[in-house]
Amino acid sequence: MSQLQPTAESVFSIRGVTFTPRTLAGVCFFALAAQFMTAIMLAAAMVPGYDFGAAAISDLGVFPETALLFNVSLVVVGVLNLLGGYFFYRTHGKRWLLAIFALAGVGAVGAGLFPLDTGGLHGLAALLAFVFFNVQAIGSATRLDGVMRVLAVLAGALGLVFVVLMALGDGGNAAAFGPIGHGGTERMIVYPVMLWMVAFGGSLLEKGEHSSDVRETA
């Protein structure tokens, strides 16, 4: 399959400066992951006695010291994923992949708007985000080549394995969590795909990315 050429992409103009959809997608994905990883590390450091092994990531959304930081960060994750998914869509034209990005983004926004202490809505939104952020990594691999394709599949597959382990653990089989506990299991759902998004966003920003990694729309 031939590679996507620069002339195949439309451009966006912001205050007279033009950007390709790929560049804007790269900014969104890089900023999404970088700010979220930073926010959850800062939030965990702000809560006295926070237990990384036993506590859920979403517990950071209910502690008074960190609720605003964490929940706003989650909403930003969702919005940037929706925007980045759209700009990335403009490079490949696959609606099914755009839908996956949209579902992941909606899940993150919902988890931020409905914190853990609000009840079932948070759990549903968080599960949507857990599943579809990892599915979008695997889906994105269909539009990539080389190392980024391998990393996308590995990150997404690893996250989904830990989604299953978390479901088993929360369903009553605590042994599924292993020595890392519920909190560690959640982080293994989130961290690999967030680190991949940092790398993916950077690769989209890299000069000449269009000629090496992103495939032409079929």
Side-chain angles (χ1 to χ4, degrees):
M1 183 178 290
S2 61
Q3 301 296 323
L4 184 66
Q5 300 300 316
T7 54
E9 287 191 15
S10 59
V11 296
F12 293 85
S13 180
I14 302 176
R15 294 184 177 275
V17 181
T18 59
F19 301 93
T20 66
R22 194 171 349 201
T23 297
L24 294 173
V27 170
C28 289
F29 296 147
F30 185 90
L32 177 166
Q35 70 85 22
F36 186 61
M37 293 292 286
T38 301
I40 60 178
M41 286 188 287
L42 286 175
M46 292 165 64
V47 178
Y50 180 77
D51 188 338
F52 281 86
I57 297 175
S58 293
D59 284 340
L60 297 170
V62 299
F63 291 118
E65 304 95 330
T66 59
L68 181 62
L69 171 63
F70 179 79
N71 293 323
V72 168
S73 179
L74 260 184
V75 172
V76 170
V77 164
V79 171
L80 288 177
N81 203 62
L82 289 167
L83 288 173
Y86 170 73
F87 291 130
F88 187 43
Y89 164 74
R90 294 294 296 269
T91 74
H92 59 70
K94 301 299 182 181
R95 292 182 179 179
W96 64 267
L97 186 52
L98 174 61
I100 292 172
F101 275 83
L103 288 169
V106 168
V109 170
L113 293 179
F114 300 99
L116 185 62
D117 57 354
T118 61
L121 281 176
H122 176 85
L124 290 174
L127 180 60
L128 192 68
F130 283 157
V131 171
F132 283 99
F133 266 95
N134 287 289
V135 171
Q136 80 180 23
I138 297 172
S140 296
T142 65
R143 314 310 306 163
L144 303 171
D145 289 312
V147 173
M148 284 308 305
R149 185 178 190 180
V150 174
L151 291 177
V153 173
L154 288 176
L158 183 61
L160 291 175
V161 166
F162 278 91
V163 168
V164 173
L165 291 175
M166 186 183 71
L168 291 173
D170 287 345
N173 184 9
F177 294 139
I180 62 176
H182 181 279
T185 300
E186 273 199 356
R187 281 166 175 78
M188 287 303 298
I189 296 170
V190 174
Y191 286 8
V193 76
M194 286 292 122
L195 292 172
W196 171 74
M197 291 192 79
V198 169
F200 182 41
S203 75
L204 291 174
L205 289 168
E206 183 184 3
K207 184 177 180 180
E209 165 64 22
H210 58 268
S211 65
S212 59
D213 284 330
V214 180
R215 293 182 175 182
E216 183 180 38
T217 302

